Amino acid sequence: MSARALRYLLRTRFQNRVRSFVTGLAKPKNLLSHAMGLGMIALIAVDVSPGGEMPVEMRRAMISSLFGFLLLVSFVSSLGQEGMVFSAADLDYLFPGPFRRRDLLLYWFVPQYLMSLLMAVFWMLMMGGRRLPHPGWFFIGCFLYQVVTMHVAAFSAHLGILIAERFFSRFKPLIKVVTTVLLLGLLVVMVLVFTGSGSIPGRLKPVADSPVMSVLFFPATAAADLGIVDGVDRWIALAKLLGAAALAFGMVMLVNVGFIEASFHASRRVHAKVADMRRGVMSSRGRFRGRSARAPRRWRGAWSILWRDIL
């Protein structure tokens, strides 16, 4: 009965979002923003992809290095989350209800699978997948890689719950620093990948061919190989991605932690931060910061309006 209620809720939410998107196109602001987004995607699809006509091995090194770094960032950032984040409506409806942990996890995973499909399209365009020998297989590899990353992030969030009581208060500042450094490094890597040519992919090739990438970050290398290799090697790469996705999913389901309470508090923290950002209020450790300088009268409130329009 509970699973049926969650399926109905997922279907209703999807229908409402589609209806909201279609009706929102009647507003010129939304129509212009969507037209600009489609125009940028079309521009990328027609012409721009990193590296132009670079050799296939160089493109493989570039994709493997970026995907491996993204997998590491996802694991570390989710570790500091101490739970999985649900929407505010889910907190009011799902958590007080008679739903099992397994049903809540599946309810959280299904929309993420749809998002993984969209991200696969994004990586297909941005990484120049159409220039690989097997673009269709590379698209499948990107989708499975996104699924693996999502499962790893969910397991990392459960792992953060598991170690929170004993170690997290001590190591949480360190995890925040590491996450910040990794995010900055990810920004640098993406800038190098999407703007570099010639020597940049050549420098990434030793990283992609290293044993660390082949062992610890094998989903990243398998996703890149799926668009290049043939025969038995293709099926081996596909088996690696499917095995990694199934293994991470099984670990999430088997970890026995205080999932509901931790996810409730994690969701409340995230929603509170987002609400503060939309109001233009920056908080630190739960306390509001004072303004560093008094703005002129005509510019007062501009920061709040800017954040509201962006978010």
Side-chain angles (χ1 to χ4, degrees), residues 69 73 176-192:
F69 204 84
V73 171
K176 288 184 177 180
V177 172
V178 173
T179 303
T180 303
V181 172
L182 288 176
L183 289 175
L184 292 175
L186 175 62
L187 179 62
V188 173
V189 170
M190 293 188 71
V191 169
L192 292 178

Side-chain angles (χ1 to χ4, degrees), residues 43 80 92 94 101 104 110 121 133-134 148-149 205 249 253 263 270 274-275 278 296 299 309:
L43 186 63
D92 296 333
L94 297 180
R101 171 179 172 270
L104 293 177
V110 170
V121 175
H134 309 289
V148 171
T149 302
K205 193 174 187 304
F249 182 81
M253 290 298 182
S263 296
V270 171
V274 172
R278 286 177 174 172
W299 295 105
D309 292 340

Side-chain angles (χ1 to χ4, degrees), residues 32-295:
L32 181 60
S33 62
H34 292 311
M36 292 179 62
L38 290 176
M40 293 179 63
I41 293 175
L43 186 63
I44 294 171
V46 170
D47 176 51
V48 185
S49 66
E53 298 297 336
M54 70 171 61
V56 172
E57 286 300 321
M58 295 296 183
R59 192 176 295 278
R60 175 193 175 276
M62 181 179 62
I63 296 170
S64 300
S65 301
L66 180 60
F67 280 7
F69 204 84
L70 282 170
L71 189 62
L72 178 62
V73 171
S74 178
F75 177 83
V76 176
S77 60
S78 299
L79 187 65
Q81 195 170 273
E82 299 181 54
M84 300 174 69
V85 178
F86 290 78
S87 67
D90 293 337
L91 295 182
D92 296 333
Y93 173 72
L94 297 180
F95 283 74
F99 300 109
R100 295 175 296 178
R101 171 179 172 270
R102 179 179 65 87
D103 295 333
L104 293 177
L105 285 172
L106 292 176
Y107 174 84
W108 187 88
F109 277 133
V110 170
Q112 302 301 319
Y113 291 140
L114 298 177
M115 185 59 66
S116 298
L117 197 61
L118 295 178
M119 286 301 300
V121 175
F122 172 79
W123 291 123
M124 183 74 182
L125 295 175
M126 294 301 295
M127 304 308 296
R130 65 187 183 280
R131 292 190 172 98
L132 293 176
H134 309 289
W137 284 100
F138 178 66
F139 176 79
I140 296 174
C142 290
F143 171 70
L144 292 176
Y145 163 78
Q146 285 296 138
V147 172
V148 171
T149 302
M150 177 187 60
H151 290 171
V152 168
F155 172 72
S156 179
H158 280 68
L159 189 63
I161 300 172
L162 191 63
I163 64 177
E165 295 181 356
R166 297 183 180 181
F167 306 106
F168 219 77
S169 59
R170 183 181 306 173
F171 292 109
K172 191 171 183 178
L174 177 61
I175 291 177
K176 288 184 177 180
V177 172
V178 173
T179 303
T180 303
V181 172
L182 288 176
L183 289 175
L184 292 175
L186 175 62
L187 179 62
V188 173
V189 170
M190 293 188 71
V191 169
L192 292 178
V193 166
F194 293 131
T195 62
S197 59
S199 63
I200 299 299
R203 295 174 184 175
L204 293 177
K205 193 174 187 304
V207 177
D209 295 337
S210 64
V212 175
M213 287 292 298
S214 301
V215 177
L216 293 181
F217 303 101
F218 69 91
T221 57
D225 289 339
L226 205 57
I228 299 174
V229 297
D230 296 299
V232 178
D233 292 336
R234 174 190 297 170
W235 297 109
I236 291 176
L238 182 62
K240 287 181 178 179
L241 287 170
L242 292 174
L247 178 62
F249 182 81
M251 293 172 69
V252 172
M253 290 298 182
L254 292 176
V255 173
N256 187 14
V257 295
F259 164 78
I260 293 180
E261 182 179 359
S263 296
F264 180 83
H265 291 300
S267 302
R268 292 290 296 271
R269 287 195 302 269
V270 171
H271 295 318
K273 290 180 180 178
V274 172
D276 290 342
M277 292 174 65
R278 286 177 174 172
R279 294 196 305 267
V281 179
M282 304 299 292
S283 60
S284 176
R285 297 183 181 180
R287 295 177 297 181
F288 295 108
R289 296 179 182 176
R291 293 183 175 88
S292 57
R294 191 174 183 85

